Short mmCIF file of all heavy atoms in Angstrom, two decimals:
data_model
loop_
_atom_site.label_atom_id
_atom_site.label_comp_id
_atom_site.label_asym_id
_atom_site.label_seq_id
_atom_site.Cartn_x
_atom_site.Cartn_y
_atom_site.Cartn_z
N ILE I 272 0.85 -1.19 0.00
CA ILE I 272 0.00 0.00 0.00
C ILE I 272 0.89 1.23 0.00
O ILE I 272 1.95 1.25 0.64
CB ILE I 272 -0.96 -0.01 1.21
CG1 ILE I 272 -2.00 1.11 1.10
CG2 ILE I 272 -0.19 0.07 2.53
CD1 ILE I 272 -3.11 1.03 2.14
N SER I 273 0.46 2.26 -0.72
CA SER I 273 1.21 3.51 -0.76
C SER I 273 0.23 4.66 -0.96
O SER I 273 -0.94 4.44 -1.29
CB SER I 273 2.26 3.49 -1.87
OG SER I 273 1.64 3.34 -3.14
N ARG I 274 0.71 5.87 -0.74
CA ARG I 274 -0.16 7.03 -0.92
C ARG I 274 0.65 8.21 -1.42
O ARG I 274 1.85 8.33 -1.13
CB ARG I 274 -0.90 7.37 0.37
CG ARG I 274 -0.03 7.81 1.52
CD ARG I 274 -0.83 7.88 2.83
NE ARG I 274 -1.82 8.96 2.82
CZ ARG I 274 -2.79 9.07 3.73
NH1 ARG I 274 -2.90 8.17 4.71
NH2 ARG I 274 -3.64 10.08 3.67
N ASP I 275 -0.03 9.07 -2.13
CA ASP I 275 0.55 10.34 -2.59
C ASP I 275 -0.35 11.43 -2.01
O ASP I 275 -1.44 11.68 -2.54
CB ASP I 275 0.58 10.38 -4.12
CG ASP I 275 1.25 11.63 -4.66
OD1 ASP I 275 1.20 12.68 -4.00
OD2 ASP I 275 1.82 11.55 -5.76
N ASN I 276 0.09 12.03 -0.93
CA ASN I 276 -0.77 12.99 -0.23
C ASN I 276 -1.05 14.23 -1.07
O ASN I 276 -2.13 14.81 -1.00
CB ASN I 276 -0.13 13.38 1.09
CG ASN I 276 -0.11 12.23 2.07
OD1 ASN I 276 -0.97 11.34 2.04
ND2 ASN I 276 0.87 12.21 2.96
N ALA I 277 -0.09 14.64 -1.87
CA ALA I 277 -0.29 15.83 -2.70
C ALA I 277 -1.39 15.60 -3.74
O ALA I 277 -2.15 16.51 -4.07
CB ALA I 277 1.01 16.21 -3.38
N LYS I 278 -1.46 14.38 -4.24
CA LYS I 278 -2.46 14.05 -5.26
C LYS I 278 -3.72 13.45 -4.66
O LYS I 278 -4.68 13.17 -5.39
CB LYS I 278 -1.87 13.07 -6.28
CG LYS I 278 -0.73 13.63 -7.10
CD LYS I 278 -0.21 12.60 -8.09
CE LYS I 278 0.92 13.18 -8.94
NZ LYS I 278 1.43 12.17 -9.90
N LYS I 279 -3.73 13.24 -3.35
CA LYS I 279 -4.87 12.60 -2.67
C LYS I 279 -5.17 11.24 -3.31
O LYS I 279 -6.32 10.92 -3.63
CB LYS I 279 -6.10 13.50 -2.68
CG LYS I 279 -5.95 14.75 -1.86
CD LYS I 279 -7.28 15.50 -1.74
CE LYS I 279 -7.16 16.70 -0.84
NZ LYS I 279 -8.45 17.43 -0.70
N MET I 280 -4.13 10.45 -3.46
CA MET I 280 -4.27 9.12 -4.06
C MET I 280 -3.72 8.07 -3.11
O MET I 280 -2.75 8.29 -2.38
CB MET I 280 -3.48 9.05 -5.37
CG MET I 280 -3.99 9.97 -6.48
SD MET I 280 -5.58 9.46 -7.15
CE MET I 280 -5.16 7.89 -7.89
N VAL I 281 -4.36 6.90 -3.14
CA VAL I 281 -3.89 5.74 -2.40
C VAL I 281 -3.83 4.58 -3.39
O VAL I 281 -4.72 4.44 -4.24
CB VAL I 281 -4.83 5.39 -1.24
CG1 VAL I 281 -4.28 4.19 -0.45
CG2 VAL I 281 -5.02 6.58 -0.32
N TYR I 282 -2.81 3.77 -3.26
CA TYR I 282 -2.60 2.67 -4.20
C TYR I 282 -2.45 1.35 -3.46
O TYR I 282 -2.04 1.31 -2.31
CB TYR I 282 -1.34 2.93 -5.04
CG TYR I 282 -1.30 4.26 -5.72
CD1 TYR I 282 -0.61 5.33 -5.15
CD2 TYR I 282 -1.97 4.47 -6.92
CE1 TYR I 282 -0.57 6.56 -5.76
CE2 TYR I 282 -1.93 5.70 -7.55
CZ TYR I 282 -1.24 6.75 -6.96
OH TYR I 282 -1.20 7.97 -7.58
N LEU I 283 -2.78 0.28 -4.16
CA LEU I 283 -2.52 -1.05 -3.64
C LEU I 283 -1.92 -1.88 -4.76
O LEU I 283 -2.62 -2.22 -5.72
CB LEU I 283 -3.79 -1.72 -3.11
CG LEU I 283 -3.58 -3.06 -2.41
CD1 LEU I 283 -2.80 -2.86 -1.10
CD2 LEU I 283 -4.90 -3.77 -2.13
N GLN I 284 -0.64 -2.15 -4.65
CA GLN I 284 0.03 -3.02 -5.61
C GLN I 284 -0.11 -4.45 -5.14
O GLN I 284 0.31 -4.79 -4.03
CB GLN I 284 1.51 -2.65 -5.73
CG GLN I 284 2.31 -3.53 -6.68
CD GLN I 284 1.86 -3.38 -8.12
OE1 GLN I 284 1.64 -2.27 -8.60
NE2 GLN I 284 1.73 -4.50 -8.82
N MET I 285 -0.72 -5.28 -5.96
CA MET I 285 -0.98 -6.67 -5.59
C MET I 285 -0.20 -7.59 -6.52
O MET I 285 -0.44 -7.60 -7.73
CB MET I 285 -2.47 -6.97 -5.68
CG MET I 285 -3.33 -6.00 -4.86
SD MET I 285 -5.07 -6.45 -4.85
CE MET I 285 -5.49 -6.18 -6.57
N ASN I 286 0.73 -8.33 -5.97
CA ASN I 286 1.55 -9.27 -6.73
C ASN I 286 1.27 -10.70 -6.27
O ASN I 286 0.69 -10.92 -5.20
CB ASN I 286 3.03 -8.95 -6.55
CG ASN I 286 3.40 -7.56 -7.04
OD1 ASN I 286 2.82 -7.06 -8.01
ND2 ASN I 286 4.38 -6.95 -6.40
N SER I 287 1.67 -11.65 -7.07
CA SER I 287 1.50 -13.07 -6.75
C SER I 287 0.08 -13.36 -6.31
O SER I 287 -0.17 -14.01 -5.29
CB SER I 287 2.49 -13.49 -5.64
OG SER I 287 3.82 -13.24 -6.05
N LEU I 288 -0.86 -12.88 -7.08
CA LEU I 288 -2.26 -13.01 -6.72
C LEU I 288 -2.69 -14.47 -6.69
O LEU I 288 -2.23 -15.29 -7.50
CB LEU I 288 -3.13 -12.20 -7.67
CG LEU I 288 -3.13 -10.69 -7.38
CD1 LEU I 288 -3.61 -9.91 -8.59
CD2 LEU I 288 -3.99 -10.39 -6.17
N LYS I 289 -3.61 -14.77 -5.76
CA LYS I 289 -4.13 -16.11 -5.58
C LYS I 289 -5.65 -16.08 -5.79
O LYS I 289 -6.28 -15.03 -5.59
CB LYS I 289 -3.83 -16.60 -4.17
CG LYS I 289 -2.36 -16.56 -3.78
CD LYS I 289 -2.18 -16.96 -2.31
CE LYS I 289 -0.71 -16.91 -1.91
NZ LYS I 289 -0.54 -17.29 -0.47
N PRO I 290 -6.23 -17.22 -6.11
CA PRO I 290 -7.70 -17.25 -6.26
C PRO I 290 -8.43 -16.75 -5.01
O PRO I 290 -9.49 -16.13 -5.13
CB PRO I 290 -7.99 -18.72 -6.54
CG PRO I 290 -6.75 -19.21 -7.23
CD PRO I 290 -5.62 -18.48 -6.55
N GLU I 291 -7.86 -16.99 -3.85
CA GLU I 291 -8.50 -16.54 -2.61
C GLU I 291 -8.44 -15.03 -2.41
O GLU I 291 -9.03 -14.50 -1.47
CB GLU I 291 -7.91 -17.26 -1.39
CG GLU I 291 -6.40 -17.23 -1.30
CD GLU I 291 -5.76 -18.49 -1.86
OE1 GLU I 291 -6.20 -18.97 -2.95
OE2 GLU I 291 -4.81 -18.99 -1.22
N ASP I 292 -7.73 -14.32 -3.28
CA ASP I 292 -7.74 -12.86 -3.24
C ASP I 292 -8.96 -12.29 -3.97
O ASP I 292 -9.18 -11.07 -3.93
CB ASP I 292 -6.47 -12.30 -3.88
CG ASP I 292 -5.21 -12.64 -3.10
OD1 ASP I 292 -5.23 -12.56 -1.85
OD2 ASP I 292 -4.19 -12.98 -3.74
N THR I 293 -9.71 -13.14 -4.63
CA THR I 293 -10.91 -12.70 -5.34
C THR I 293 -11.89 -12.05 -4.38
O THR I 293 -12.26 -12.65 -3.37
CB THR I 293 -11.58 -13.88 -6.06
OG1 THR I 293 -10.69 -14.37 -7.08
CG2 THR I 293 -12.90 -13.45 -6.68
N ALA I 294 -12.27 -10.82 -4.67
CA ALA I 294 -13.14 -10.06 -3.78
C ALA I 294 -13.45 -8.71 -4.42
O ALA I 294 -12.82 -8.33 -5.41
CB ALA I 294 -12.49 -9.84 -2.41
N VAL I 295 -14.40 -8.01 -3.82
CA VAL I 295 -14.57 -6.60 -4.11
C VAL I 295 -13.66 -5.83 -3.17
O VAL I 295 -13.70 -6.05 -1.94
CB VAL I 295 -16.03 -6.15 -3.95
CG1 VAL I 295 -16.15 -4.65 -4.22
CG2 VAL I 295 -16.94 -6.94 -4.88
N TYR I 296 -12.85 -4.97 -3.71
CA TYR I 296 -11.89 -4.19 -2.92
C TYR I 296 -12.42 -2.76 -2.76
O TYR I 296 -12.79 -2.11 -3.75
CB TYR I 296 -10.53 -4.20 -3.59
CG TYR I 296 -9.79 -5.50 -3.40
CD1 TYR I 296 -10.21 -6.66 -4.05
CD2 TYR I 296 -8.70 -5.59 -2.55
CE1 TYR I 296 -9.55 -7.87 -3.86
CE2 TYR I 296 -8.02 -6.79 -2.35
CZ TYR I 296 -8.46 -7.92 -3.01
OH TYR I 296 -7.81 -9.12 -2.82
N TYR I 297 -12.42 -2.33 -1.51
CA TYR I 297 -12.94 -1.00 -1.18
C TYR I 297 -11.82 -0.13 -0.60
O TYR I 297 -11.05 -0.57 0.26
CB TYR I 297 -14.04 -1.11 -0.14
CG TYR I 297 -15.26 -1.87 -0.58
CD1 TYR I 297 -15.37 -3.23 -0.35
CD2 TYR I 297 -16.32 -1.21 -1.19
CE1 TYR I 297 -16.49 -3.94 -0.76
CE2 TYR I 297 -17.46 -1.91 -1.60
CZ TYR I 297 -17.53 -3.27 -1.37
OH TYR I 297 -18.65 -3.96 -1.76
N CYS I 298 -11.80 1.09 -1.03
CA CYS I 298 -10.94 2.10 -0.44
C CYS I 298 -11.71 2.75 0.71
O CYS I 298 -12.92 2.98 0.60
CB CYS I 298 -10.58 3.13 -1.50
SG CYS I 298 -9.57 4.52 -0.92
N ALA I 299 -11.02 3.04 1.79
CA ALA I 299 -11.68 3.63 2.95
C ALA I 299 -10.83 4.72 3.57
O ALA I 299 -9.60 4.63 3.60
CB ALA I 299 -11.98 2.57 4.00
N LEU I 300 -11.51 5.73 4.06
CA LEU I 300 -10.86 6.77 4.87
C LEU I 300 -11.26 6.49 6.30
O LEU I 300 -12.48 6.47 6.62
CB LEU I 300 -11.31 8.16 4.42
CG LEU I 300 -10.62 9.34 5.10
CD1 LEU I 300 -10.58 10.54 4.18
CD2 LEU I 300 -11.30 9.71 6.42
N VAL I 301 -10.28 6.23 7.14
CA VAL I 301 -10.54 5.85 8.52
C VAL I 301 -10.64 7.11 9.36
O VAL I 301 -9.64 7.78 9.62
CB VAL I 301 -9.42 4.94 9.04
CG1 VAL I 301 -9.69 4.55 10.50
CG2 VAL I 301 -9.29 3.70 8.17
N GLY I 302 -11.87 7.45 9.75
CA GLY I 302 -12.03 8.66 10.52
C GLY I 302 -13.36 8.65 11.23
O GLY I 302 -13.97 7.59 11.42
N VAL I 303 -13.81 9.80 11.63
CA VAL I 303 -15.11 9.94 12.25
C VAL I 303 -15.91 10.93 11.43
O VAL I 303 -15.70 12.14 11.58
CB VAL I 303 -15.00 10.40 13.71
CG1 VAL I 303 -16.39 10.51 14.34
CG2 VAL I 303 -14.13 9.43 14.50
#
């Protein structure tokens, strides 16, 4: 996982993917 605060971007580089990684992936901002 990485982020570029200036661009307000978050990334997830996923390598060596497995069938069990199959899912809907959600981005979240952890706050109140």
Side-chain angles (χ1 to χ4, degrees):
I272 189 171
S273 61
R274 65 190 292 167
D275 184 330
N276 292 332
K278 295 181 178 179
K279 293 188 176 181
M280 296 290 295
V281 182
Y282 307 98
L283 186 68
Q284 178 66 44
M285 306 185 293
N286 299 327
S287 302
L288 283 161
K289 304 175 181 180
E291 51 263 43
D292 294 318
T293 295
V295 178
Y296 283 71
Y297 297 92
C298 177
L300 185 151
V301 179
V303 181

